[in-house]
Amino acid sequence: MASKTEELRQRVLSEIEGVRSVKALSELKVAYLGKNGAIKALLRGMKDIPAENRAEFGKAVNELSDDVSALFEQKEAALKKKELQEKFASQAVDITLPGKRPLSGGLHPLTIVKNKIIDAFIGMGFEIFEGPEIDSDYYCFQALNIPKDHPARDMQDTFYFTDNILLRPHTSPGQVRSMEKGKLPIKILSPGRVYRADDDASHSPMFHQIEGLVVDKGVSLCDLKGLLDEFVRVIFDGDTETRFRPSYFPFTEPSVEVDVTCCKCHGKGCGLCKGTGWIEILGAGVVNKNVLKMSGIDPDIYSGLAFGLGIERVTMIKYGIPDIRTLFESNLKFLEQFDRR
Ligand code: PHE
């Protein structure tokens, strides 16, 4: 009798030993501990046991049942742990592999330079004032002291929609639009796209300008020089110098063009600066009294200064870019050099 339970215990032990999966173990558990399992079968055989031995037998079977349950629990825990370890091992990530870097965008060099210029002037108290890209002959020319048939119109080959409506060839119409508002003093910066029928290594039919205008009492050429020197100091290397050269624009009197020392040869003279050591960056001047008058400002009380610079030109000088067209080709190899994040 005792040997019956002992025999079963040995069988369970050896069978559990050989089990390799949680699933097989639970099948085996049913076979021993289930309703129709081997241990319940022993109890059912109780009736064949002599009455005096029944108590002892029952005790032995219960003990066996408890022990076997405990064995199954132990084995189950061990198998689950092993299976989890195997799962982790098979799903392991090799953290030493180089990751996949997402392609991140960056700012275009023209945007970088535009932002720098705007920051420089905002720091000096300027406000942004934007005008339309399609404008009338009046704002683009007449109100800037360039009457119809004036030879100065040839300075810019312009794209016309009609006799009167055109793509603005400069941001100077912004001067007129801000003066017309009638609020004084004025200290504005007007950035935007401009268009001219020009296309070569240093000219693009669409490019960007930033116009500056200050109108107040007692504004002079001296203030213009101070403003532009500060702008050059912020945008270019510390050792870049400026030079004012007399020039002509119908809307300023006197008019100047401002040169900076060549970024490539630092003033010695090279191919980029055509041997002069200087590169022109902008046009400027004291606002012509006629322009003030036409916009309803009394030139005997107020005076103004204005300047207009090309963002492409400043960008090309700052970064030593020889051909303006590279700025519009969307070539990532070129663009990635400027703003990599
Ligand atoms: N509008 C001029 C140009 O496009 C630049 C300029 C602006 C000159 C303001 C003087 C004053 O060339």
Side-chain angles (χ1 to χ4, degrees):
M1 258 172 358
S3 66
K4 259 192 174 173
T5 52
E6 226 15 67
E7 190 194 312
L8 198 59
R9 182 187 297 274
Q10 291 312 320
R11 232 170 70 204
V12 175
L13 274 176
S14 82
E15 284 196 38
I16 284 185
E17 177 76 28
V19 172
R20 293 279 166 266
S21 74
V22 175
K23 191 167 170 263
L25 186 74
S26 83
E27 281 164 13
L28 194 66
K29 192 173 170 184
V30 172
Y32 282 101
L33 291 168
K35 247 196 269 162
N36 300 315
I39 291 177
K40 286 277 183 315
L42 280 182
L43 287 177
R44 274 196 296 276
M46 196 87 123
K47 55 181 183 333
D48 304 326
I49 307 273
E52 65 273 23
N53 293 337
R54 275 186 197 159
E56 194 193 329
F57 180 71
K59 202 174 150 221
V61 173
N62 281 338
E63 265 173 27
L64 176 68
S65 176
D66 289 348
D67 293 351
V68 168
S69 294
L71 277 175
F72 272 106
E73 261 169 45
Q74 273 169 25
K75 182 74 180 185
E76 192 182 342
L79 280 177
K80 276 193 174 153
K81 193 172 162 195
K82 200 174 131 245
E83 284 182 6
L84 201 62
Q85 276 166 350
E86 281 168 5
K87 193 173 155 197
F88 285 158
S90 72
Q91 293 177 357
V93 176
D94 181 355
I95 55 165
T96 64
L97 278 176
K100 284 185 191 143
R101 198 182 286 277
L103 198 64
S104 64
L107 293 179
H108 191 280
L110 288 176
T111 308
I112 297 173
V113 170
K114 181 182 92 178
N115 290 347
K116 272 195 195 326
I117 297 173
I118 288 177
D119 279 356
F121 283 105
I122 290 218
M124 294 187 264
F126 282 72
E127 281 173 32
I128 302 293
F129 177 90
E130 279 180 280
E133 281 175 40
I134 296 172
D135 214 336
S136 67
D137 189 276
Y138 175 77
Y139 286 106
C140 292
F141 296 123
Q142 292 172 51
L144 288 164
N145 205 30
I146 316 174
K148 284 217 184 268
D149 305 321
H150 191 287
R153 290 202 177 203
D154 291 345
M155 286 165 87
Q156 297 144 359
D157 279 322
T158 311
F159 294 111
Y160 283 91
F161 293 106
T162 68
D163 279 352
N164 188 37
I165 302 295
L166 54 141
L167 285 170
R168 64 177 175 191
H170 52 181
T171 41
S172 300
Q175 290 186 32
V176 181
R177 287 181 176 277
S178 69
M179 286 191 283
E180 266 185 3
K181 288 195 169 285
K183 253 184 73 189
L184 288 162
I186 296 170
K187 206 167 178 187
I188 56 118
L189 206 60
S190 191
R193 291 193 195 97
V194 299
Y195 303 84
R196 291 184 198 175
D198 249 349
D199 198 3
D200 60 40
S202 50
H203 297 90
S204 159
M206 185 285 298
F207 63 104
H208 301 79
Q209 281 190 335
I210 296 188
E211 191 85 7
L213 173 72
V214 179
V215 180
D216 204 346
K217 288 173 185 158
V219 172
S220 72
L221 196 65
C222 226
D223 299 306
L224 178 68
K225 182 145 176 37
L227 275 177
L228 296 180
D229 280 350
E230 173 62 6
F231 149 72
V232 168
R233 193 189 63 77
V234 173
I235 301 302
F236 297 104
D237 294 342
D239 59 354
T240 304
E241 285 173 39
T242 54
R243 167 175 96 166
F244 275 43
R245 227 173 350 96
S247 184
Y248 172 74
F249 299 102
F251 34 95
T252 46
E253 181 59 39
S255 299
V256 294
E257 273 174 320
V258 179
D259 299 337
V260 291
T261 38
C262 176
C263 56
K264 200 169 162 200
C265 64
H266 300 284
K268 287 190 201 74
C270 67
L272 188 64
C273 57
K274 301 190 184 91
T276 63
W278 296 95
I279 296 184
E280 181 210 321
I281 54 160
L282 58 86
V286 172
V287 179
N288 191 305
K289 290 189 175 192
N290 280 340
V291 173
L292 292 177
K293 251 188 261 170
M294 275 187 277
S295 293
I297 294 173
D298 185 346
D300 292 331
I301 304 174
Y302 286 95
S303 56
L305 60 85
F307 57 89
L309 58 88
I311 302 179
E312 280 76 2
R313 177 154 279 242
V314 174
T315 307
M316 288 166 76
I317 296 169
K318 183 172 169 58
Y319 295 116
I321 300 166
D323 191 325
I324 193 170
R325 288 167 290 208
T326 27
L327 290 169
F328 301 115
E329 279 168 355
S330 304
N331 176 352
L332 282 182
K333 286 236 161 11
F334 169 74
L335 295 174
E336 277 172 353
Q337 301 173 78
F338 298 92
D339 187 20
R340 212 177 202 148
R341 288 156 191 223

